[in-house]
DNA sequence: CGGCATCCGTGACGATACTG
DNA sequence: CAGTATCGTCACGGATGCCG
């Protein structure tokens, strides 16, 4: 019997840096390959295993399963069983949701690397939500709070502006159930907004963003 | 001839996520094991290979050398040759220095994990610089600009407050050449300050921080 | 002696196949 | 659909050796 039976907990903790440093501790938890990208996906709301696998091209099934278990054990995510017709979904805990600033900082730093778009690059529409949120919730953000549908050539997603309740998704793939406004623009502009090279009100004035909707959010986007 | 001859540039770029996403691009550059911790070390100023190896217990020599080359090639760091008595040093480029917000976000998220101090944990004094800087430069930061020497039981380091010129170290190991003020406190308080659970002025008033120095920075720390 | 390069054992990773 | 099993490959960690 060479292999001890492993208890309910995962057998061996992942390799730790063993440093009394907050940054090193954070990397112990989320520094493994794919982990932060899984968090990015889950920031869009609850996702099924298959959804995650589809939106993370290149990750192998066992690594994805292993990371999800690690994240469960680490308190980053939970697995929730849905009534039988539907499958189980993974969703971030409040602690996992707290990684949004980390991803935002990484995305801001990595933004210049998006200058070139390699032919091998995968794209998903909701990957543009983070830069757009930066433009919406950041300084000079013109909009009131609400849910905004965003239509790109690459697809559609929605963002929830002005939200600070942890645990609730700040953006999501596809259209929202009830959107307060809707904009149509292209990805390039979306990135420029995130880099702060343009403001949303400017872009609306220049006609590079089409705004539709009736409520205060749409009005705010149109510049009052 | 199965293997192509490899040119002067590094043979194969590290495995990329191949995603058109700023966060994924950032992780392509700094997502490898040890890379962000090397950045953390270099944020303290130019360091020699041996210094880095000493302050990063567990990293193997070849991985450290490989990461430093990757960082050179990626534009994060440069290697500068010093006149013969001294050895070469590595220092961050402006781009590399731009990772400070990423490390700050990671450190803030990882701060709760410092509640327990494991016996296997390595400690270096300057690892406490980031939380302290958060207390100094953040809102309610009482201090004027200047260089502050900090004495912990674990060692001594210094921080440069109110600096936003990229490329200049914001903190460093050991005492500064010319410090405008000096404080003595313990690591626990340092972490509490970083978590925002206490303010520096409070702690000074309670006698948990000893302040010495004459200039405006010291006066500011003492509460005018 | 500092700054790596080389070698080697182990474990993590990626692709595919397979199962409840 | 949601993973587990298997396997080849590569990255990592540790030790040692070379070279200025």
């Amino acid at each position: 019997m060479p292999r001890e039976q492993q208890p309910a907990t995962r057998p061996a903790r992942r390799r730790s840096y063993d440093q009394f440093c907050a940054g090193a501790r954070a990397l112990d938890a989320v520094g493994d390959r794919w982990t932060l990208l899984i968090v990015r996906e889950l920031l869009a709301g609850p996702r099924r295993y298959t959804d995650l696998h589809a939106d993370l091209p290149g990750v192998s099934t066992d690594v994805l399963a292993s990371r999800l278990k690690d994240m469960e054990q680490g308190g980053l995510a939970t697995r929730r069983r849905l009534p039988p017709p539907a499958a189980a979904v993974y969703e971030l805990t409040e602690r996992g949701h707290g990684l949004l600033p980390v991803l935002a900082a990484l995305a801001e730093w990595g933004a210049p690397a998006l200058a070139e778009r390699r032919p091998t690059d995968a794209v998903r529409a909701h990957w543009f939500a983070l830069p757009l949120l930066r433009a919406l919730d950041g300084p000079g953000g013109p909009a009131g709070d609400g849910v905004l549908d965003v239509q790109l050539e690459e697809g559609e997603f929605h963002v929830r502006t002005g939200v600070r309740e942890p645990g609730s998704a700040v953006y999501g793939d596809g259209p929202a159930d009830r959107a307060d406004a809707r904009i149509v623009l292209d990805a390039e502009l979306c990135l420029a907004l995130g880099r702060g090279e343009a403001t949303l009100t400017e872009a609306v004035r220049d006609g590079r963003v089409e705004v539709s909707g009736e409520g205060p959010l749409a009005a705010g986007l149109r510049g009052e």
Side-chain angles (χ1 to χ4, degrees), chain A:
Chain A
M1 201 188 304
R3 176 180 301 264
E4 307 193 21
Q5 73 165 17
Q6 48 199 43
T9 69
R10 297 221 81 202
R13 53 181 315 138
R14 319 201 43 78
R15 210 185 308 254
S16 165
Y17 288 113
D18 278 332
Q19 296 186 357
F20 191 70
C21 162
R25 283 284 209 278
L27 290 172
D28 279 342
V30 301
D32 278 318
R33 192 163 167 74
W34 292 110
T35 302
L36 277 176
L37 295 186
I38 296 173
V39 171
R40 178 198 64 192
E41 293 302 311
L42 292 181
L43 280 171
R47 309 299 282 271
R48 294 178 306 169
Y49 179 92
T50 311
D51 300 331
L52 293 171
H53 191 259
D55 279 350
L56 293 170
V59 70
S60 59
T61 58
D62 54 351
V63 166
L64 178 55
S66 172
R67 292 293 182 276
L68 288 170
K69 273 180 191 149
D70 290 340
M71 292 170 65
E72 271 192 83
Q73 184 187 331
L76 300 184
T78 56
R79 177 197 161 101
R80 182 158 52 102
R81 244 175 222 297
L82 297 185
V89 292
Y90 295 89
E91 53 192 345
L92 290 182
T93 61
E94 185 174 330
R95 173 95 180 125
H97 201 266
L99 284 164
L100 179 59
V102 173
L103 275 165
L106 275 170
E108 186 176 348
W109 185 83
L114 292 183
E116 63 158 344
R117 190 158 175 171
R118 302 178 303 226
T120 54
D121 280 338
V123 190
R124 299 293 182 272
H126 67 272
W127 293 349
F128 296 92
L130 230 49
L132 191 63
L133 269 176
R134 182 171 147 74
L136 286 168
D137 281 343
D145 299 354
V147 176
L148 178 65
D149 262 355
V150 182
Q151 173 82 49
L152 304 178
E153 297 168 16
E154 286 80 3
E156 190 169 0
F157 65 94
H158 60 276
V159 296
R160 196 177 307 266
T161 69
V163 182
R164 278 292 159 264
E165 328 143 25
S168 75
V170 286
Y171 57 88
D173 210 3
D177 292 343
R178 288 168 294 117
D180 299 300
R182 176 185 173 83
I183 59 177
V184 181
L185 71 169
D186 62 72
E188 198 53 54
L189 176 56
C190 211
L191 296 176
L193 292 171
R195 286 189 298 258
E197 295 171 7
T199 69
L200 202 42
T201 47
E202 269 178 17
V204 171
R205 220 180 317 133
D206 298 355
R208 290 179 290 171
V209 177
E210 282 180 44
V211 180
S212 52
E214 309 300 332
L217 179 57
L221 286 167
R222 274 188 278 260
E224 253 66 20

